[in-house]
């Protein structure tokens, strides 16, 4: 498996050459180099994954170099390859390769293409370092690396103030989560005296029931460590409380949204929890927290998705909601189901984001769905790709045939396993997951109906009409305002086709390996065979619950946005406060602005105006300059140029000296 070294380091090499070469290489060479490296990594990743699916591959650790040796703290830089890693390898490299190719068309007019592609490859390298980590420090290296690359990509259009603000917000919010992650790593090393993940997981069951001192109290050791680690996952995977950065991150280019905030970086938290699942299984309080936060995030984000008008923000909140499904699956102990949904979600969510980018490209960068309509006739290939993604995320399928799109196999399994858990929190997660499935169907079909059905509304968009140059004759004859949406170039459509295949077939082909094959996982995660067996035995209404609410959501969206388009306005007029609350994202941003941002600025102004300027500058450099200036003025008056003045001063000085000596 030495090919793993090529998989991980080819993107880094491409990022270095493309980034440093930049415009000296030219757009075509830089794009070809980075894209080619990612397709090679992708081609090498799939055989590893399929080997684990077939049962022919074995876990392996590939050493790279000696890293740190300081007293009892020793760890090397090594690449760990097992079934869990293999899943992440195909997710990261496949989506990244297709996003690189897609960006050829989407970023064609951007003057900084080499820098953009170098950032994409750098991000991919950091994510690959994270998922192949053999120890917690190496995982933290990749964890922070994707944070850095995310900051660079979100703020890629740095001349755009909103992009800069979004990049800073993502960086700061993730630092809050990373504080918990660092404390969790420090505490884990303190308890186990190693950062080696295999050694920690082997020793974790023996720590069950142990306590540790924390803030003056004795608390369960494993619960404390796992909660701290999960706080890091909450930041990286945008869970409730630390989610506010994800929607704003849509200010970056659309390919960035597909790569970072749909398929890879935001799933790092889910991967980390599953990687450390033997630790979490010894921490019931931490698992309860994971379940509750995941279920709450799932519902919270789905409600907001029903009210947004920006096509990318709808999909962003959808990402937040789907991550909640993954976390509460892990919280109830179904780590295989969590990873299965991570796997299928990567295909259909990247497909939806890139499809949205194709729509935005066709609509002259207009992102408000209120100015779309009737686009299925103008961009049919994009329409069918997004239709595949929508069928996948809403979970369309036939239970009796065990056939359906990707979400039918993975998301429905999570809802079933939450019910099968049989605990109060499991039941809580089941109901919130089912309600969220209803909302998911509603906002997904709402997006489709507003975008691809109905009358063309782009003639009402000032942005589009001001961007289009029309002759007087065109303006007089063309009832659509002189603008016709156009299909995207082939470099954008080919990735949509590839991801659409994943959205259609990934769930059906790999469901057995993820859900029913302990041999596939090979000990890389905690596998609860009894729970998964109970999942298959839940009552029929539970098995059909997700499909039923999917149909209800579809019917509701059809009724409100095709059959009687006055219904949304009537609903808003009837439930104004509820709509305002949800539309304004439950006022989390306003609350955080009141509790944290404004006090931080006030404290900063206090130290700046009173401390720095009023005290330090006044009595420091400004005070010294004032004394020198005043002293110079006084000294200047003494310098008259007359001999008798100098003689008088010398005489006064002599008298003063004699007086001092005598008395």
């Amino acid at each position: 498996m030495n090919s793993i070294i090529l998989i991980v380091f080819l993107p880094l090499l491409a990022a270095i050459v493309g980034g440093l070469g930049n415009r000296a290489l030219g757009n075509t060479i830089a794009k070809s180099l980075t894209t080619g490296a990612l397709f090679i990594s992708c081609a090498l990743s799939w055989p590893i994954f399929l080997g684990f699916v077939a049962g022919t591959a074995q876990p392996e650790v590939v050493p790279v170099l000696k890293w740190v040796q300081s007293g009892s703290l020793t760890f090397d830089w090594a690449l760990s390859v097992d079934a869990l890693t293999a899943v992440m390898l195909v997710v990261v490299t496949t989506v990244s390769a297709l996003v690189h190719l897609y960006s050829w068309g989407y970023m064609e007019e951007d003057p900084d293409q080499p820098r953009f592609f170098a950032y994409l490859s750098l991000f991919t390298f950091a994510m690959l370092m994270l998922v192949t980590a053999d120890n917690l420090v190496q995982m933290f290296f990749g964890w922070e690396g994707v944070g850095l690359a995310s900051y660079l990509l979100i703020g890629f259009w740095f001349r755009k103030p909103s992009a800069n603000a979004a990049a800073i917000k993502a960086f700061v919010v993730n630092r809050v989560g990373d504080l918990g992650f660092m404390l969790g790593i420090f505490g884990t090393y303190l308890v186990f005296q190693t950062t080696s993940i295999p050694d920690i997981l082997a020793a974790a069951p023996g720590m069950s029931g142990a306590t540790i001192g924390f803030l003056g109290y004795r608390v369960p050791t494993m619960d404390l460590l796992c909660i701290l680690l999960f706080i890091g996952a909450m930041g990286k995977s945008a869970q409730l409380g630390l989610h506010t950065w994800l929607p704003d991150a849509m200010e970056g280019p659309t390919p960035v949204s597909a790569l970072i905030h749909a398929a890879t970086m935001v799933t790092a938290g889910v991967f980390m929890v599953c990687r450390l699942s033997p630790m979490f299984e010894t921490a019931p309080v931490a698992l309860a927290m994971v379940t509750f936060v995941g279920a709450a995030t799932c519902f919270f984000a789905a409600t907001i998705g029903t009210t947004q008008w920006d096509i990318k923000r709808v999909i962003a909140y959808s990402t937040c909601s789907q991550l909640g499904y993954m976390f509460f699956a892990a919280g109830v102990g179904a780590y295989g189901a969590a990873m299965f949904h991570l796997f299928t979600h990567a295909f259909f969510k990247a497909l939806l984001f890139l499809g949205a980018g194709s729509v935005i490209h066709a609509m002259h960068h207009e992102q408000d769905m209120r100015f779309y309509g009737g686009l299925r006739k103008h961009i049919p290939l994009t329409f069918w790709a997004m239709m595949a993604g929508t069928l996948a995320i809403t979970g369309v399928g036939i239970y009796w045939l065990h056939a359906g799109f990707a979400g039918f196999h993975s998301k429905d399994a999570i809802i079933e396993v939450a019910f099968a858990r049989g605990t109060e929190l499991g039941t809580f997660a089941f109901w919130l997951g089912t309600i969220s499935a209803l909302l998911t169907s509603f906002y997904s079909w709402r997006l489709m109906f507003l975008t691809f059905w109905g009358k063309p509304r782009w003639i009402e968009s000032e942005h589009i009409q001001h961007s289009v140059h029309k002759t007087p004759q065109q303006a007089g004859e063309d009832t659509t305002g002189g603008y016709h949406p156009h299909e995207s170039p082939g470099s954008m459509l080919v990735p949509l086709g590839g991801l659409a295949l994943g959205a259609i077939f990934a769930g059906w082909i790999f469901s057995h390996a993820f859900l029913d094959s302990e041999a596939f996982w090979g000990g890389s995660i905690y596998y609860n065979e009894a729970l998964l067996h109970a999942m298959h035995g839940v009552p029929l209404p539970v098995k059909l619950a997700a499909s039923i609410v999917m149909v209800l959501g579809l019917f509701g969206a059809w009724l409100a946005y095709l059959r009687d388009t006055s219904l949304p306005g009537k609903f808003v007029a009837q439930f104004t406060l509820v709509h305002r609350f949800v539309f304004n994202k439950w006022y989390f941003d306003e609350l955080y602005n009141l509790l944290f941002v404004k006090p931080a600025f006030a404290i900063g102004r206090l130290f700046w105006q009173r401390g720095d300027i009023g005290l330090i500058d006044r009595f420091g450099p400004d005070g010294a300059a004032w004394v020198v200036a005043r002293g110079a003025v006084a000294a200047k008056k003494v310098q008259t140029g007359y001999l008798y003045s100098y003689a008088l001063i010398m005489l006064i000085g002599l008298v003063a000296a004699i007086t001092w000596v005598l008395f």
Side-chain angles (χ1 to χ4, degrees):
M1 283 194 183
N2 289 332
S3 60
I4 188 65
I5 295 178
L6 288 176
I7 293 172
V8 173
F9 288 103
L10 272 177
L12 175 63
L13 180 62
I16 292 173
V17 175
L20 295 180
N22 207 303
R23 296 181 184 177
L25 294 176
N27 291 342
T28 303
I29 295 178
K31 292 189 296 185
S32 300
L33 182 67
T34 52
T35 306
L38 259 299
F39 271 95
I40 293 173
S41 291
C42 178
L44 294 173
S45 297
W46 274 96
I48 296 175
F49 171 69
L50 294 176
F52 280 101
V53 172
T56 58
Q58 294 296 322
E60 184 178 352
V61 176
V62 180
V64 178
L65 52 83
K66 294 287 184 181
W67 197 0
V68 171
Q69 186 169 359
S70 177
S72 63
L73 179 61
T74 303
F75 50 86
D76 299 333
W77 198 342
L79 306 178
S80 175
V81 184
D82 56 17
L84 183 61
T85 302
V87 172
M88 295 304 296
L89 287 179
V90 296
V91 166
V92 174
T93 58
T94 302
V95 173
S96 183
L98 293 176
V99 166
H100 273 73
L101 178 59
Y102 179 92
S103 299
W104 279 60
Y106 194 87
M107 302 295 289
E108 184 178 8
E109 298 178 1
D110 196 282
D112 289 329
Q113 293 178 56
R115 179 167 64 91
F116 179 78
F117 280 83
Y119 286 170
L120 286 182
S121 295
L122 177 64
F123 168 83
T124 307
F125 162 72
M127 191 68 196
L128 291 171
M129 283 301 307
L130 192 160
V131 302
T132 57
D134 185 52
N135 59 74
L136 290 176
V137 180
Q138 187 177 327
M139 181 182 286
F140 186 72
F141 171 82
W143 194 273
E144 293 303 304
V146 293
L148 169 64
S150 175
Y151 170 80
L152 295 173
L153 285 166
I154 295 170
F156 176 75
W157 288 321
F158 56 85
R159 294 181 179 86
K160 186 179 176 184
S162 58
N164 281 325
I168 293 172
K169 185 176 183 179
F171 199 80
V172 171
V173 174
N174 272 276
R175 297 293 74 73
V176 175
D178 290 351
L179 175 61
F181 191 49
M182 285 189 290
L183 291 175
I185 293 175
F186 295 154
T188 302
Y189 174 72
L190 178 66
V191 170
F192 295 98
Q193 290 299 298
T194 181
T195 62
S196 170
I197 293 175
D199 293 345
I200 292 169
L201 299 184
M207 293 301 299
S208 181
T211 61
I212 191 173
F214 183 71
L215 299 178
Y217 297 93
R218 300 298 298 181
V219 298
T221 301
M222 299 308 296
D223 279 315
L224 175 64
L225 297 180
C226 291
I227 287 173
L228 290 173
L229 293 169
F230 177 61
I231 290 172
M234 287 177 63
K236 196 65 71 182
S237 296
Q239 292 301 283
L240 185 63
L242 296 177
H243 67 280
T244 53
W245 65 272
L246 182 61
D248 289 2
M250 298 304 106
E251 291 291 338
T254 298
V256 173
S257 305
L259 176 62
I260 299 182
H261 306 112
T264 53
M265 183 181 115
V266 292
T267 61
V270 180
F271 165 79
M272 185 267 290
V273 171
C274 292
R275 169 63 78 196
L276 303 179
S277 53
M279 280 184 68
F280 278 83
E281 282 299 309
T282 64
V285 176
L287 280 180
M289 180 178 176
V290 174
T291 304
F292 178 81
V293 172
T297 304
C298 180
F299 172 75
F300 153 81
T303 61
I304 298 175
T306 62
T307 62
Q308 301 301 301
W309 294 112
D310 186 314
I311 188 171
K312 287 175 65 176
R313 283 184 178 268
V314 174
I315 303 174
Y317 279 107
S318 170
T319 299
C320 206
S321 180
Q322 298 303 307
L323 289 166
Y325 278 106
M326 300 174 206
F327 273 111
F328 81 68
V332 299
Y335 302 99
M339 288 304 301
F340 187 29
H341 196 50
L342 184 156
F343 179 77
T344 60
H345 174 263
F347 292 105
F348 63 70
K349 187 52 62 67
L351 174 61
L352 288 172
F353 260 118
L354 295 185
S358 184
V359 172
I360 294 168
H361 183 267
M363 296 305 294
H364 225 282
H365 300 286
E366 175 64 73
Q367 295 182 198
D368 193 326
M369 295 185 297
R370 288 172 291 189
F371 300 119
Y372 291 170
L375 290 179
R376 72 184 189 281
K377 299 177 182 178
H378 298 275
I379 47 175
L381 298 178
T382 299
F383 162 70
W384 285 112
M386 290 201 71
M387 176 62 77
T390 301
L391 293 171
I393 192 174
T394 57
V396 174
I398 302 174
Y399 166 73
W400 290 275
L401 298 178
H402 195 63
F405 291 81
F408 169 76
H409 295 276
S410 59
K411 185 175 68 176
D412 289 23
I414 290 176
I415 294 174
E416 293 171 21
V417 81
F419 182 89
R421 185 65 180 177
T423 62
E424 291 184 0
L425 268 176
T427 304
F428 170 78
F430 164 76
W431 283 110
L432 282 191
T434 303
I435 296 171
S436 300
L438 169 66
L439 298 173
T440 299
S441 179
F442 178 81
Y443 68 65
S444 297
W445 289 110
R446 170 181 180 262
L447 183 152
M448 291 296 291
F449 293 149
L450 284 172
T451 303
F452 295 105
W453 273 272
K455 66 176 183 178
R457 298 183 299 277
W458 57 79
I459 57 175
E460 303 168 15
S461 171
E462 295 182 3
H463 167 73
I464 292 178
Q465 299 311 320
H466 288 170
S467 302
V468 178
H469 303 288
K470 304 184 292 291
T471 65
Q473 182 179 3
Q474 288 175 327
E477 296 176 355
D478 199 331
T479 59
T480 63
Y483 183 75
H484 294 280
H486 53 87
E487 190 62 273
S488 299
S491 61
M492 294 172 65
L493 294 176
V494 169
L496 292 181
L499 292 169
L501 292 176
I504 296 170
F505 297 111
W508 173 63
I509 294 174
F510 298 108
S511 62
H512 174 73
F514 280 90
L515 298 177
D516 300 318
S517 177
E518 186 174 4
F520 166 71
W521 292 112
S524 59
I525 62 171
Y526 179 85
Y527 188 83
N528 191 332
E529 186 175 1
L531 177 61
L532 292 174
H533 180 73
M535 177 190 77
H536 295 301
V538 297
L540 183 61
V542 174
K543 292 180 178 292
L544 297 178
S547 296
I548 292 171
V549 297
M550 179 275 297
V551 174
L552 292 177
L554 167 60
F555 176 74
W558 172 82
L559 191 64
Y561 294 98
L562 288 184
R563 180 70 175 83
D564 185 357
T565 55
S566 66
L567 284 179
K570 293 177 181 177
F571 178 88
V572 172
Q574 184 68 30
F575 301 99
T576 304
L577 294 179
V578 174
H579 177 268
R580 186 180 302 162
F581 177 74
V582 175
F583 181 75
N584 287 287
K585 301 161 287 187
W586 292 32
Y587 290 101
F588 266 95
D589 284 305
E590 290 78 4
L591 179 64
Y592 285 176
N593 189 54
L594 180 65
L595 294 179
F596 302 115
V597 178
K598 287 185 176 179
F601 274 98
I603 294 172
R605 282 193 296 269
L606 175 65
F607 281 109
W608 169 41
Q609 296 287 351
R610 300 291 180 86
D612 194 12
I613 296 176
L615 185 63
I616 297 174
D617 285 352
R618 181 179 179 185
F619 296 104
D622 290 349
W626 182 86
V627 170
V628 170
R630 293 299 182 273
V633 171
K636 182 175 68 175
K637 293 180 179 179
V638 176
Q639 304 299 323
T640 63
Y642 295 110
L643 182 62
Y644 57 79
S645 297
Y646 299 147
L648 176 62
I649 292 172
M650 292 173 64
L651 180 61
I652 293 173
L654 180 62
V655 171
I658 294 173
T659 302
W660 182 79
V661 171
L662 293 178
F663 298 97

